[in-house]
Amino acid sequence: MTTDNAIHARGVRVHNLKNIDVDIPRAKYVVLTGVSGSGKSSLALDTLYAEGQRRYVESFSAYARQFLERMDKPDVDSVENIPPAIAIEQKNPVKSRRSTVGTATELNDYLRLLWARVGHVFCPQCGQEIKAHTASRVADQVMAMPAGTRFMVTFPLTLSPKLDVQEQVDRIREMGFVRLFVDGDVVDITSSKGVELRGGRRVEVVVDRLVLRKGTRQRLIEAVETCYRLGKGRCRVRAVEGPLREFNSMFHCARCDLDMPTPRPRLFSFNTPLGACENCAGYGATIDISRWRVVPDPSKSIREGAIAPWSTDSTWECREQLLRGAPKARIPVDVPWAELEPWQQDAVFEGTEHFYGVLAYFEWMGTRKYRLHVRVLLSRYRSYVTCSECGGTRLCKEALAVKINGKSIADVSRVTIEEAAHFFGEEIELSQHELSIGELLLRETRSRLKCLVQIGLGYLTLDRLTRTLSGGEMQRVNLATSLGSALVNTLYILDEPSVGLHARDADRLIAILRNLRDCGNTVLVVEHDRRIIEAADHVVDLGPGAGERGGRVVYAGPVAGLKGCRESVTGAYLSGEARIPVPRKRRKRTADRLILKGARQHNLKNINVEFPLGLFTCVTGVSGSGKSTLVQDTLYGAIKRRKPGGYAEAVGQHDELLNDDLIDGIILVNQSPIGLTPRSNSVTYIKVFSHIRQLFAQTRDARIRNLKAGAFSFNTPGGRCDACQGAGGIRVDMQFLADVYVTCDHCQGRRFRKDILEVKYNGQSIHDVLEMTVNEAMSFFRDHKKITRRLSYLCNTGLGYIKLGQPATTLSGGEAQRLKLAAHMAGGRKDRLLFIFDEPTVGLHFDDIRKLLSCFQSLVDDGHTVLVVEHNLDVIKHADYVIDLGPEQGELGGEVVAAGTPEQVARCKRSHTGRFLREVLRQAAAVRS
């Protein structure tokens, strides 16, 4: 392998990497795999990406290069022949409400240009199309009249009532005009005598009189341009015989006397003052009294306290006046709120002649905002509600009035990407002139939409907030953007792009990765998915174990060779030598079950779903079929709302929830970060650090120095480094780049003062302990059951490789989720709980999935219920019960396709999950026999 066709990394010692040498073929599709914690991210992101970024910055100006000194250099001897690098990670750092899928993929830029160039303007009041006429277009229409037609070109003028008429006529004459058209007559103003205007102060200035013949066109265009310049964009052509023709250089509705702005790209951006809705400033929502907060439990009647702010002792008068007046207004007070007619619900909020409404009550409370408790009360019932002016489109009415084939830019942004692709590919009809203008824009728009569909995001909408996307969805959005940018000779590093992707979409993803490669780019994918690995040109397997037992190159070469590598755990699973077996016996359903009726949030089709209790249940389906909407948005909120503490967020629309009294609580274990600063780490999260600090406080050196347990905490003053305040690093503002943390010069990243670090327990300082992996700490503290008991849960969830003091900000979404699971298991609660997991296999190797499944089974054996939203077939085949949604994504999904054991779902021909599950179960049966 020569230096021309490979990236050479020599002596890599980042984190747990053991001074390894790695060669990455350029312009190839390369997979970096290995057990969780083997050092994949350390090599891909902390080494190759960091070096690629440094080389990129080196190509900048001298001003930009000064920041290289602040960027930590990876611990590596050399990295040669590396191109500029782009990392596409699972994280979703977007917090702004202004970022949408359309802006993130740059599709909005193309749509804004397209609507500005070929859009048709309609009057927002009467709906009539408004056309602006260029001088040449006016000339085309006038020249179409019969030859020899005599006509005048004029522009309307309203004389000011503040000035003398004759004085204004003199000014017109001084401008070179000699005639006015007044009340049907042409008036000559060349005479110095006074001019009598019988028609009042509304006149027309005659710019030119013409006879239609060959050679008239240029003179006509000049006359029209003069009219536009002096007549505020208006021009009239009066033929001696024939109708009056009115033209406007601007968009003006004569019927409504309404001026519309000229379409320009800024008009269609909700991030500019020109295009943003004035009421919501382009956010699409305003902070107002929220109905779902006022009525948090629609199953209650008015008498039972459905109106939350009127259900307290201090507001009994409000409740009583409603109970007295509602029957007079034909509003039942003993019927559940959800069963009231929409007009009845509106009446309760808006009030009637028999009682004052909820909104009037809050208006009155608003006059007393000078009191703190009133402000607290108002904030409790306020939330973002859809803007009443723009309907959530974010745009002003002028932007919404511009349409292509009857659709505004907001209409296209509202539908799914798959429907938008069909509109631009099949439905859109443009004239030849419009096509010549917008052809390039259409081509780029179709290409990007097609890429989003291929990558499995066809169910999203362009106006979807990027802050609501999962890490996997955000990663694929960024991947589609990278494809659209058409970069070449670039190193693309992707961190598990298959996350959140159904098995049927894997082939589409592989095709996109190969497309990136075929453009001359090097594609390095950190991945555990079997199909993604097997499709690679080259595989690098790190291991053989996690943490300190990993960090070596176990295998590098073609996929076929990996399957025969005996030292590789990955190879053992790919070859079938190691596997996750199907349970020999599944738990049977009992009569205990949660029943959710009439779920209809987003794309759910008013479905009834039963969730058996005391089982390990998987909710499956293609991406966008409604799994998260059903489980997280509806079921979780509906149960949480009825448990102590309540639920402050919106709950998905449904009719009723039954049997929630059969569980004591519900816990959602998702991939959200456990901390936003480097101070949060695994040992503080599972509450084991206090026991470790207590051990150090009991040592002889600590007692001599009179040090208490608090001195060994980096979160409180006393023992921590004063320079970095225990963070171990200092945040540096990189101006045009993202902020970075650099190692503290005073403590060298050790977090504590020198005298604290001199205190040793079994020869190790508090810093040394925090640098241990969980596996190492299990051995070090083997005589302390309180510590090892809690740490064992981290090992059982596949996190034995992480360091005790590893900042929470460096954990992936999957690692954070498993850390939450370990914390809940360490808590040892005896209640009957429902655990909900959102794709817990993110970042997990085959071998770690086996450990995770063991944890799930332990939870169920302890009397809990485990409900998992998952695509991984190894997890699905291990479940006791499967609920499969679909059959497709978006509006074509939202139905229960199949429900039952994995074997029963596998027999369902409508189920995409069943199709892949069928093959997995067949292979398992063949091995067992």
Side-chain angles (χ1 to χ4, degrees):
M1 197 175 290
T2 65
T3 56
D4 292 331
N5 62 4
I7 301 168
H8 299 286
R10 296 289 179 261
V12 185
R13 297 174 294 276
V14 178
H15 299 151
N16 67 326
L17 297 178
K18 305 295 194 303
N19 199 36
I20 62 174
D21 298 337
V22 182
D23 294 321
I24 305 294
R26 292 187 60 164
K28 296 292 184 181
Y29 164 22
V30 182
V31 166
L32 183 59
T33 188
V35 298
S36 304
S38 58
K40 301 183 296 297
S41 294
S42 298
L43 176 60
L45 298 174
D46 299 336
T47 304
L48 297 177
Y49 174 61
E51 279 297 302
Q53 282 287 87
R54 289 180 65 85
R55 303 293 167 83
Y56 183 53
V57 174
E58 284 174 354
S59 66
F60 286 0
S61 63
Y63 171 77
R65 288 197 296 271
Q66 67 176 308
F67 291 94
L68 282 173
E69 300 176 0
R70 302 186 184 183
M71 298 173 67
D72 288 337
K73 191 177 186 306
D75 188 5
V76 57
D77 291 341
S78 66
V79 178
E80 301 175 359
N81 202 30
I82 186 170
I86 294 176
I88 305 177
E89 302 182 65
Q90 294 175 26
K91 297 178 181 178
N92 184 357
V94 180
K95 303 300 178 186
S96 171
R97 293 181 62 89
R98 290 199 174 277
S99 176
T100 65
V101 172
T103 59
T105 57
E106 300 173 359
L107 267 165
N108 271 25
D109 297 333
Y110 292 100
L111 296 184
R112 291 191 293 113
L113 280 168
L114 187 63
W115 256 257
R117 292 183 177 179
V118 302
H120 295 251
V121 181
F122 293 83
C123 175
Q125 295 183 6
C126 66
Q128 178 180 344
E129 184 175 356
I130 308 171
K131 293 185 178 180
H133 301 85
T134 62
S136 59
R137 183 176 294 180
V138 173
D140 290 340
Q141 293 191 26
V142 173
M143 294 298 290
M145 294 190 299
T149 301
R150 299 172 60 194
F151 61 92
M152 295 185 298
V153 182
T154 70
F155 65 85
L157 180 69
T158 302
L159 301 180
S160 172
K162 297 181 180 180
L163 299 176
D164 180 67
V165 171
Q166 187 58 47
E167 183 179 346
Q168 295 181 73
V169 171
D170 292 341
R171 290 185 181 181
I172 295 172
R173 184 170 59 246
E174 290 172 1
M175 295 171 66
F177 299 109
V178 295
R179 298 176 183 83
L180 296 179
F181 184 80
V182 183
D183 198 23
D185 296 324
V186 176
V187 178
D188 191 329
I189 60 174
T190 56
S191 173
S192 59
K193 298 180 181 179
V195 177
E196 182 180 356
L197 302 180
R198 296 192 305 274
R201 293 181 178 270
R202 292 183 178 273
V203 301
E204 294 178 31
V205 178
V206 179
V207 176
D208 205 348
R209 295 190 299 176
L210 300 167
V211 178
L212 196 63
R213 60 169 67 98
K214 188 176 181 181
T216 304
R217 180 183 174 84
Q218 187 58 40
R219 184 173 166 183
L220 172 60
I221 290 176
E222 292 174 358
V224 173
E225 289 175 344
T226 301
C227 290
Y228 282 165
R229 186 174 68 254
L230 301 177
K232 297 182 179 180
R234 292 173 292 177
C235 172
R236 292 175 179 172
V237 175
R238 292 184 174 274
V240 174
E241 296 180 359
L244 168 67
R245 296 171 182 260
E246 295 193 60
F247 304 98
N248 204 313
S249 65
M250 299 181 294
F251 292 88
H252 177 81
C253 178
R255 181 184 300 177
C256 304
D257 193 24
L258 179 67
D259 287 323
M260 296 288 288
T262 301
R264 59 191 65 181
R266 286 189 304 134
L267 179 64
F268 304 99
S269 172
F270 47 77
N271 290 323
T272 65
L274 180 64
C277 167
E278 292 184 1
N279 187 50
C280 64
Y283 285 101
T286 55
I287 297 179
D288 207 344
I289 299 300
S290 172
R291 291 199 175 194
W292 62 262
R293 287 198 172 189
V294 172
V295 187
D297 189 355
S299 64
K300 291 183 178 180
S301 66
I302 294 175
R303 191 183 299 279
E304 291 171 336
I307 311 300
W310 290 353
S311 61
T312 62
D313 293 338
S314 61
T315 55
W316 66 271
E317 292 182 350
C318 301
R319 183 171 62 254
E320 289 301 317
Q321 65 91 27
L322 176 60
L323 290 173
R324 288 194 305 269
K328 299 176 183 177
R330 296 185 296 114
I331 301 174
V333 296
D334 295 309
V335 173
W337 177 267
E339 297 180 13
L340 295 180
E341 296 291 333
W343 69 266
Q344 294 173 330
Q345 295 178 355
D346 293 340
V348 172
F349 274 84
E350 297 168 5
T352 67
E353 60 182 3
H354 304 290
F355 60 88
Y356 57 83
V358 175
L359 296 180
Y361 166 76
F362 280 110
E363 286 179 11
W364 174 74
M365 292 296 289
T367 63
R368 309 172 68 203
K369 286 192 293 186
Y370 55 87
R371 296 187 176 185
L372 177 60
H373 75 278
V374 173
R375 294 199 296 273
V376 172
L377 174 71
L378 291 174
S379 66
R380 186 181 304 162
Y381 296 105
R382 280 178 173 166
S383 69
Y384 283 102
V385 296
T386 302
C387 175
S388 58
E389 293 292 325
C390 66
T393 63
R394 301 165 167 251
L395 296 170
C396 60
K397 63 178 184 298
E398 291 81 4
L400 298 175
V402 182
K403 301 183 179 182
I404 296 178
N405 287 168
K407 291 183 180 292
S408 68
I409 191 170
D411 294 332
V412 173
S413 298
R414 271 199 187 119
V415 300
T416 65
I417 289 174
E418 199 163 12
E419 292 172 325
H422 183 264
F423 171 75
F424 286 107
E426 306 292 336
E427 297 180 12
I428 193 167
E429 294 180 0
L430 300 177
S431 66
Q432 197 62 39
H433 175 70
E434 292 170 339
L435 194 59
S436 64
I437 296 174
E439 185 175 6
L440 291 176
L441 294 172
L442 274 175
R443 186 187 308 163
E444 188 63 34
T445 300
R446 288 166 178 161
S447 173
R448 290 181 181 244
L449 288 172
K450 180 182 178 182
C451 179
L452 287 168
V453 172
Q454 288 178 335
I455 211 166
L457 296 177
Y459 60 92
L460 296 179
T461 59
L462 292 178
D463 64 357
R464 170 86 173 262
L465 296 178
T466 50
R467 62 186 290 186
T468 66
L469 300 179
S470 67
E473 288 172 331
M474 190 66 198
Q475 186 182 41
R476 294 199 293 279
V477 165
N478 291 333
L479 178 58
T481 305
S482 298
L483 278 171
S485 62
L487 293 177
V488 297
N489 195 27
T490 301
L491 171 61
Y492 281 96
I493 299 176
L494 290 88
D495 185 15
E496 292 199 81
S498 65
V499 169
L501 210 58
H502 191 270
R504 74 158 190 179
D505 298 318
D507 291 337
R508 298 178 181 178
L509 174 61
I510 291 169
I512 288 176
L513 296 177
R514 287 173 172 167
N515 186 18
L516 270 177
R517 174 203 62 187
D518 295 341
C519 292
N521 299 299
T522 303
V523 182
L524 179 61
V525 182
V526 179
E527 189 57 83
H528 296 112
D529 184 88
R530 179 188 300 270
R531 297 173 71 182
I532 304 296
I533 296 173
E534 292 178 339
D537 303 321
H538 187 86
V539 178
V540 177
D541 185 41
L542 297 184
E548 292 305 313
R549 296 186 296 109
R552 295 192 294 108
V553 178
V554 176
Y555 175 82
V559 179
L562 176 62
K563 295 180 179 180
C565 180
R566 293 191 174 185
E567 193 180 1
S568 171
V569 180
T570 306
Y573 277 93
L574 292 178
S575 65
E577 183 179 338
R579 61 182 60 85
I580 299 174
V582 175
R584 291 189 175 276
K585 188 176 181 181
R586 303 189 192 276
R587 300 177 185 87
K588 294 184 178 180
R589 290 183 62 185
T590 65
D592 293 344
R593 69 198 65 178
L594 293 172
I595 302 176
L596 185 68
K597 292 188 174 183
R600 55 187 179 279
Q601 183 72 9
H602 296 154
N603 67 328
L604 296 180
K605 303 295 192 300
N606 200 36
I607 57 177
N608 300 326
V609 188
E610 295 185 359
F611 300 91
L613 297 177
L615 300 184
F616 171 23
T617 301
C618 270
V619 177
T620 64
V622 297
S623 304
S625 59
K627 302 183 298 296
S628 295
T629 300
L630 173 65
V631 176
Q632 292 191 41
D633 298 348
T634 308
L635 178 66
Y636 174 73
I639 296 175
K640 194 73 174 174
R641 186 171 59 189
R642 298 190 178 190
K643 298 302 177 183
Y647 188 62
E649 301 300 324
V651 179
Q653 294 182 344
H654 65 284
D655 292 335
E656 62 179 330
L657 173 69
L658 303 178
N659 302 332
D660 57 288
D661 57 321
L662 296 177
I663 58 174
D664 298 312
I666 184 170
I667 296 175
L668 174 62
V669 187
N670 56 19
Q671 298 175 24
S672 60
I674 62 171
L676 301 178
T677 69
R679 297 187 180 281
S680 177
N681 56 40
S682 58
V683 288
T684 59
Y685 192 78
I686 65 169
K687 297 179 173 55
V688 75
F689 195 39
S690 58
H691 298 298
I692 296 175
R693 290 190 290 109
Q694 195 64 43
L695 284 180
F696 274 89
Q698 293 171 0
T699 61
R700 182 173 179 274
D701 290 341
R703 292 199 304 270
I704 291 174
R705 292 173 169 83
N706 196 29
L707 296 175
K708 305 299 181 184
F712 299 94
S713 171
F714 48 76
N715 286 326
T716 57
R720 68 186 184 184
C721 171
D722 295 328
C724 63
Q725 296 185 333
I730 298 174
R731 190 177 69 176
V732 177
D733 182 4
M734 297 293 285
Q735 296 187 24
F736 62 90
L737 296 174
D739 293 346
V740 297
Y741 281 89
V742 297
T743 303
C744 174
D745 294 333
H746 289 75
C747 66
Q748 303 302 319
R750 290 183 171 87
R751 298 178 176 233
F752 296 93
R753 297 198 317 252
K754 185 177 180 180
D755 59 314
I756 300 297
L757 294 173
E758 290 175 352
V759 177
K760 302 292 179 69
Y761 174 80
N762 285 354
Q764 303 294 324
S765 69
I766 186 69
H767 168 70
D768 295 332
V769 170
L770 290 175
E771 285 296 300
M772 292 179 182
T773 64
V774 174
N775 290 329
E776 292 170 341
M778 284 287 292
S779 176
F780 185 76
F781 293 110
R782 58 182 173 273
D783 297 329
H784 300 277
K785 299 301 181 185
K786 288 184 178 179
I787 296 175
T788 55
R789 186 184 70 82
R790 288 181 174 271
L791 290 179
S792 66
Y793 292 109
L794 292 175
C795 294
N796 294 340
T797 53
L799 294 176
Y801 61 89
I802 67 173
K803 292 183 178 181
L804 299 186
Q806 183 173 337
T809 52
T810 65
L811 297 177
S812 67
E815 289 172 333
Q817 187 177 36
R818 296 196 298 280
L819 182 54
K820 294 175 187 176
L821 170 60
H824 288 303
M825 295 177 68
R829 292 180 60 178
K830 300 300 181 183
D831 302 334
R832 296 170 300 172
L833 300 176
L834 169 60
F835 286 90
I836 295 178
F837 294 89
D838 182 18
E839 295 194 69
T841 60
V842 171
L844 283 186
H845 187 268
F846 305 105
D847 205 47
D848 298 303
I849 292 175
R850 180 178 53 80
K851 298 176 184 177
L852 181 66
L853 289 171
S854 178
C855 292
F856 288 163
Q857 299 293 2
S858 296
L859 284 174
V860 178
D861 290 340
D862 289 341
H864 304 302
T865 301
V866 174
L867 182 61
V868 178
V869 177
E870 188 55 83
H871 292 291
N872 189 287
L873 294 170
D874 285 325
V875 175
I876 299 171
K877 75 180 184 183
H878 217 267
D880 300 315
Y881 193 78
V882 176
I883 300 171
D884 188 50
L885 299 185
E888 298 295 336
Q889 54 189 209
E891 290 304 312
L892 298 178
E895 303 175 19
V896 178
V897 177
T901 64
E903 289 77 12
Q904 290 172 328
V905 173
R907 289 195 290 269
C908 179
K909 295 183 178 180
R910 290 184 66 216
S911 170
H912 290 293
T913 304
R915 176 160 50 95
F916 291 93
L917 190 58
R918 194 179 311 133
E919 179 62 21
V920 170
L921 293 175
R922 186 193 64 76
Q923 293 176 359
V927 171
R928 184 180 297 175
S929 61

